[in-house]
Amino acid sequence: MSVGQNTDLILLKVLGVTDDPNTDTQIVILRDEANADILPIWMGPTEGTAIRYALEDTVLPRPTSHDLMASLLTHLGITMTHVVVTNVQDNTYYAMIYLCSNGRERTVDARPSDAIALALRAKCPIYVTQDVLKNGGGANVTTWLAKLGQQAHGQTETQDDSPKTSQQTED
Amino acid sequence: MLTQMNVRGLLFDPYNNAYIVVLRDEHRSDVLPIWVGKSEASAIGFALENISPPRPTTHDLMKSMLDNVDAKILSAVVTDLKDNTYYAKIHLWYGDSEYSVDARPSDAIALALRAEAPIFTAETVLRKQRSEELERWLETVKPEDFGKLDT
């Protein structure tokens, strides 16, 4: 870590998953507790669906890959303590999963999509470093969000979100 | 009774717009086709072709989490077939105990291939799937269909 980097952790809430109308991808929208910064992370449809299911508490008859991963950890008595979106480079986000096994902390490199899908299932906090939030939630994103129509915002909402969600998103 | 299976390859099923993982026993007398979705098929395809994308896939992550805590995948077993749905179990060794975890066969196979762990099928599953419908479908598969996705 070079001098001047801010790696303080900021707690994020997953607002929802929306389709990117411009590409065949999905966007997971995260926001910090103070509602000051939005962090959108683009991902494939499979990854987006994995997060959507967790947000909606949808349980399929057979375990999804992320259900399996969470169940593997539970069976082995391994706790997921938290996940951190650690870095962004060339539009690729990096994340770290923190596990606790037999009292020892372990970290595992992951894509944010997997880390978030797992964190929601394990009900553990999701953090982002100050630097990533500032770089990722920059003005270009605000512009992009502004271009989204009302219809797209409607899709962002998940059933268990508060009714104010879409209003807050447009703040 | 368990039969060890090899992953023969992946096929595209244009009728159902899905993929088929083809398992075959060591003596090549039994074939077990398992229909899976696109993302599950690519998870298996990557493992068969030893492709490592720049960032870990979901199954790469699963493997690396288990490696990280020194859990070892012993085997994947296709345990049952009910109403056209296959069931599997992943057997693991962690600490000093053996664990078995319920999974879809696609996840179990994708994980077993990454861990270089054996894949088994229960004898009952092989018996159940020898239905005429499947036999008939397989007869329509041409050798070149295998060639396309074979490894």
Side-chain angles (χ1 to χ4, degrees), chain B residues 2-75:
Chain B
L2 297 178
T3 306
Q4 188 164 354
M5 309 295 279
N6 293 318
V7 182
R8 173 77 177 84
L10 285 165
L11 285 170
F12 181 64
D13 172 6
Y15 305 104
N16 296 300
N17 196 26
Y19 290 82
I20 308 168
V21 181
V22 181
L23 301 177
R24 190 168 62 181
D25 77 339
E26 304 224 287
H27 309 291
R28 301 180 174 199
S29 56
D30 278 304
V31 171
L32 187 68
I34 299 179
W35 272 254
V36 300
K38 192 183 170 191
S39 64
E40 289 80 9
S42 65
I44 292 170
F46 280 173
L48 286 175
E49 290 164 26
N50 280 319
I51 296 172
S52 297
R55 299 295 295 139
T57 65
T58 303
H59 293 87
D60 293 338
L61 169 63
M62 228 185 279
K63 169 74 165 51
S64 95
M65 283 204 301
L66 294 172
D67 285 347
N68 231 282
V69 298
D70 300 317
K72 188 176 158 43
I73 296 160
L74 301 173
S75 63

Side-chain angles (χ1 to χ4, degrees), chain A residues 33 110 170:
Chain A
E33 292 271 275
E170 290 155 28

